[in-house]
Amino acid sequence: MPIAEKMVKVVEAASMIRKMFEEGIRMREKYGADNVFDFSLGNPDVPPPAVVKDTLNDLINDKTFSHGYMPNPGFPNVRQAVADYLNKETGVGLTPDLVVMSVGAAGALNDTLKALVNPGEEILTPAPYFVGYNQYAFIAGAVLKTVSSTPDFHLDLNAIEEAITPKTRVMLINSPNNPTGAVYTREELTGLGEILEQKSREFGKRIYLISDEPYRKIVYDVDVPWVFDIYDHTIVLTSYSKELSLAGERIGYLAVHPRAEDAGLIAGAAGVANTMMVVNAPALFQQVVGRLQGVTVDIGIYRKRRDMFCQGLSKAGYEFDIPQGAFYLFPKSPIQDDLEFVNLLKQENILAVPGTGFGGPGHFRLSYAVPEAAIQGSFEGFKRAMEKAKK
Ligand code: PLP
């Protein structure tokens, strides 16, 4: 066996995603980029706000800027800026020692799960869910357990209550959600907090809530409630990948609620996990985002695309919930087998991701982090695929 046995399945899953990516490149070469409608990737194409480049230029031209190591959890001034921002938003009284700068939201998830979860313990997450969670659970040696959502992709509190076991260590939520675009309400989050408190008492073991929020700023006419206000034993984590379109720069953070049980220990352990895996988050971009708290890409661009996509798809006969956040649509597949339907779409040069991959069979995911022309140009193909599916 040339590679570790435990890696075989993980590599297989990763190569499926890579195959799709390569298929997109192959199709663009064959048919021309304008004739391929690739909605498969959540890679933001909206440019970062101009102030990002200005800040970068200032830092590069600052002769005193240090490219060396800093304290492993991040530059103190940057962690202070993040704590100040979160305190302004939530009034929760965060101190910088409870903030760890990370390599994107993925890094923050890895750090937090490493800090909290013993091998064999369960991470509970509502399905459909972001596929990366399988990998982060694998790295933590934990079991990712999914629980169904309501038909409109909100929290099914009864199902969650039933799914929590003495092995549950973490409830992991993501709102605004990838792949569904749902934004959880204050009422459902309050209900969730009550269940976590009650189950923690019942099992004599603290269950922590991890709120994965990289799409917090990409919302349309709704507010994303702060879980910090609702349940004390919470770790909020995020990145600047989507809100500043900096996905390739790999910068984010995690923040532990000051009143969480063992808050200091958790932040400390997450910092050590971060050090073990990546040493520290990128220095230059820590300082960029430290100076740009509260700055966001132009959400109007995503809103326009969302509205255009929803209109065109519903004209073509597709059914879906209008996303309240993020930049994904998660329509119902017109036939039960979403993999087969995604193949029908491919015959129209449309690339989508089957819902099965997200634990949401019978659906497919479309990312609208693509130019308007791609959305507009795809509608005829969507119509034809629907007609074929109905035959
Ligand atoms: N969590 C969710 C829900 C995501 O959609 C993504 C990326 O698409 C991540 C985490 C990872 O984000 P990052 O690229 O900042 O590590």
Side-chain angles (χ1 to χ4, degrees):
M1 176 79 48
I3 57 169
E5 277 172 40
K6 67 175 184 181
M7 285 302 291
V8 174
K9 268 205 183 130
V10 186
V11 172
E12 264 170 29
S15 76
M16 267 169 59
I17 296 169
R18 200 176 51 239
K19 261 191 210 141
M20 211 168 63
F21 188 64
E22 282 163 6
E23 179 71 0
I25 296 173
R26 192 192 61 79
M27 285 173 71
R28 275 189 281 276
E29 273 167 9
K30 186 165 173 196
Y31 301 108
D34 291 347
N35 301 313
V36 177
F37 310 103
D38 188 350
F39 306 114
S40 64
L41 283 182
N43 192 9
D45 67 319
V46 171
V51 67
V52 170
K53 285 230 167 103
D54 295 345
T55 309
L56 253 178
N57 277 330
D58 289 349
L59 285 165
I60 288 167
N61 292 321
D62 175 355
K63 297 215 166 39
T64 65
F65 182 79
S66 157
H67 294 277
Y69 296 123
M70 76 294 302
N72 293 139
F75 285 110
N77 70 314
V78 175
R79 292 155 76 206
Q80 181 71 60
V82 170
D84 289 347
Y85 174 73
L86 289 175
N87 287 336
K88 205 171 75 199
E89 289 280 308
T90 68
V92 84
L94 264 175
T95 45
D97 55 308
L98 297 174
V99 175
V100 177
M101 299 309 294
S102 64
V103 176
L109 277 157
N110 278 322
D111 295 345
T112 310
L113 292 174
K114 275 259 181 224
L116 282 175
V117 188
N118 289 303
E121 283 187 319
E122 290 170 356
I123 300 163
L124 186 62
T125 200
Y129 63 96
F130 171 56
V131 279
Y133 292 171
N134 290 315
Q135 292 163 356
Y136 313 143
F138 170 81
I139 291 171
V143 177
L144 184 75
K145 185 170 160 182
T146 58
V147 57
S148 56
S149 300
T150 58
D152 60 352
F153 303 123
H154 282 257
L155 297 174
D156 183 338
L157 296 178
N158 290 332
I160 290 173
E161 197 168 359
E162 272 173 33
I164 295 175
T165 74
K167 283 193 176 166
T168 310
R169 181 63 162 162
V170 160
M171 177 84 211
L172 170 56
I173 58 169
N174 164 229
S175 169
N177 187 269
N178 173 10
T180 68
V183 176
Y184 300 151
T185 63
R186 181 171 296 279
E187 290 68 37
E188 64 193 297
L189 290 169
T190 303
L192 175 65
E194 284 164 8
I195 291 170
L196 296 181
E197 190 56 53
Q198 180 226 317
K199 288 285 174 187
S200 296
R201 254 186 271 127
E202 183 181 329
F203 295 132
K205 167 180 171 177
R206 175 53 60 197
I207 301 170
Y208 289 90
L209 175 62
I210 299 181
S211 186
D212 174 25
E213 308 188 348
Y215 303 96
R216 165 174 284 278
K217 305 277 179 56
I218 303 176
V219 280
Y220 318 105
D221 307 321
V222 288
D223 278 335
V224 184
W226 285 97
V227 283
F228 270 169
D229 296 341
I230 291 169
Y231 184 64
D232 284 356
H233 311 283
T234 295
I235 294 92
V236 167
L237 53 88
T238 187
S239 70
Y240 301 88
S241 299
K242 321 286 172 172
E243 65 185 53
L244 286 180
S245 285
L246 292 177
E249 303 298 352
R250 314 306 304 132
I251 185 75
Y253 67 81
L254 65 93
V256 185
H257 194 304
R259 288 194 298 277
E261 220 167 276
D262 297 320
L265 279 179
I266 295 168
V272 171
N274 193 56
T275 308
M276 288 194 298
M277 288 196 273
V278 295
V279 183
N280 60 251
L284 188 56
F285 273 86
Q286 280 193 50
Q287 292 295 357
V288 171
V289 299
R291 285 156 173 76
L292 299 179
Q293 292 300 300
V295 178
T296 309
V297 291
D298 179 358
I299 308 302
I301 299 176
Y302 287 125
R303 177 198 294 273
K304 195 158 166 229
R305 292 171 181 179
R306 177 197 69 156
D307 293 346
M308 178 189 280
F309 221 164
C310 287
Q311 212 180 13
L313 286 177
S314 82
K315 256 197 204 154
Y318 290 85
E319 286 174 42
F320 50 86
D321 290 301
I322 295 174
Q324 293 180 302
F327 41 60
Y328 307 104
L329 271 156
F330 201 58
K332 280 199 182 104
S333 165
I335 49 176
Q336 214 178 4
D337 186 341
D338 48 290
L339 282 89
E340 201 182 319
F341 185 67
V342 162
N343 275 330
L344 283 183
L345 287 175
K346 203 154 83 188
Q347 290 168 17
E348 303 297 335
N349 286 359
I350 294 172
L351 297 178
V353 189
T356 298
F358 302 95
H363 295 80
F364 58 99
R365 191 193 76 171
L366 301 168
S367 160
Y368 49 92
V370 295
E372 277 174 34
I375 297 172
Q376 204 71 53
S378 68
F379 291 142
E380 285 305 315
F382 274 110
K383 262 189 225 157
R384 283 192 297 269
M386 175 62 91
E387 279 154 21
K388 278 188 204 165
K390 280 186 174 159
K391 272 187 190 153

